[in-house]
Structures are given as C-alpha cells and as structure tokens.
C-alpha cells in the first residue's frame, strides 16, 4: 500500500515539475481558497468548491498522462496523435470553463453584496 502512495506522489511531483498549467492551477487554487475563507463559505459551498478544484486538477493530470501515452505510442507526428492531444486539452478547457461558472455561482452573490454600492 505504501508503495502505491509513493508512486502516486511521484506522479504528482512529475506533473508539478513539467506542467506549467498545473502550477497556474495551484496559484488560482490558493487565491480561490483564500477568497472562500474571507467570504466565510459554509460547508456545502466548501464541498462544491473543493470538488470543482479537484475536477480541474484531475483533468490536468489525466491530460498529462494521455500526452505521455500518445508520445510513447507515436514519437513522430501522426494526425491521430494530434487529435488525441487536442481532445485531451479540450477536456481540461471544458473543466476549467465549468469551474469558472461554478465559481461565479459560489462567489458572485457574496462579492456582489460586499462590493455593490447599493447594498
């Protein structure tokens, strides 16, 4: 069991070192979590936020794994390899767009109440 954890953490370290977008996701995660704390999210909002963040991170990690598999299977250019990589990147984009929409639903009312001159 401990070896499985070691392999999993090795995968996370690899992705952290090699994937700029994962580091960007981390920066956004820190800002969003701090904002959620400042707005005093209730447990349900925290749960939705954490699941949304996990979805984006998981998509990014899956994209990294799929790119590695495609590179292994097709070291030279192949149109199907390009399609696999593009679709995988599209998956991350879709999850990121969904995360922004969830963020608007979670943060919008609280930020509007704090920042609106009419409140």
């Amino acid at each position: 069991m401990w070896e499985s954890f070691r392999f999993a953490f090795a995968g996370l370290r690899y992705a952290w070192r090699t994937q700029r977008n994962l580091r960007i996701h981390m920066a956004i995660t820190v800002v969003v979590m701090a904002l959620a704390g400042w707005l005093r999210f209730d447990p349900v909002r925290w749960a939705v936020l954490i699941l949304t963040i996990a979805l984006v991170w998981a998509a990014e990690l899956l994209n990294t794994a799929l790119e590695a598999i495609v590179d292994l299977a097709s070291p030279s250019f192949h149109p199907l390899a390009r399609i696999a990589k593009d679709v995988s990147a599209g998956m991350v984009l879709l999850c990121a767009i969904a995360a922004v929409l969830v963020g608007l639903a979670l943060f919008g009312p609280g930020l509007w109440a704090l920042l609106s001159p009419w409140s």
Side-chain angles (χ1 to χ4, degrees), residues 20 32 39 44 47 56-57 87 89 95 113 117:
R20 176 181 49 105
V32 164
L39 290 174
V44 172
V56 173
W57 276 69
V87 170
C95 290

Side-chain angles (χ1 to χ4, degrees), residues 74-92:
S74 181
S76 59
F77 177 80
H78 191 284
L80 292 175
R82 169 57 53 205
I83 290 169
K85 288 184 169 190
D86 289 350
V87 170
S88 183
M91 168 187 60
V92 178

Side-chain angles (χ1 to χ4, degrees), residues 20-110:
R20 176 181 49 105
N21 287 343
L22 194 64
R23 295 188 298 275
I24 292 169
H25 291 311
M26 175 57 89
I28 293 168
T29 295
V30 169
V31 170
V32 164
M33 298 284 267
L35 185 57
W38 182 63
L39 290 174
R40 292 187 170 93
F41 271 22
D42 61 67
V44 172
R45 283 191 169 171
W46 273 110
V48 171
L49 181 63
I50 290 167
L51 286 171
T52 302
I53 290 168
L55 174 71
V56 173
W57 276 69
E60 189 65 50
L61 292 169
L62 182 58
N63 180 52
T64 300
L66 288 172
E67 285 183 352
I69 290 168
V70 167
D71 289 345
L72 177 65
S74 181
S76 59
F77 177 80
H78 191 284
L80 292 175
R82 169 57 53 205
I83 290 169
K85 288 184 169 190
D86 289 350
V87 170
S88 183
M91 168 187 60
V92 178
L93 179 61
L94 179 67
C95 290
I97 290 169
V100 168
L101 295 174
V102 169
L104 288 173
L106 292 175
F107 289 97

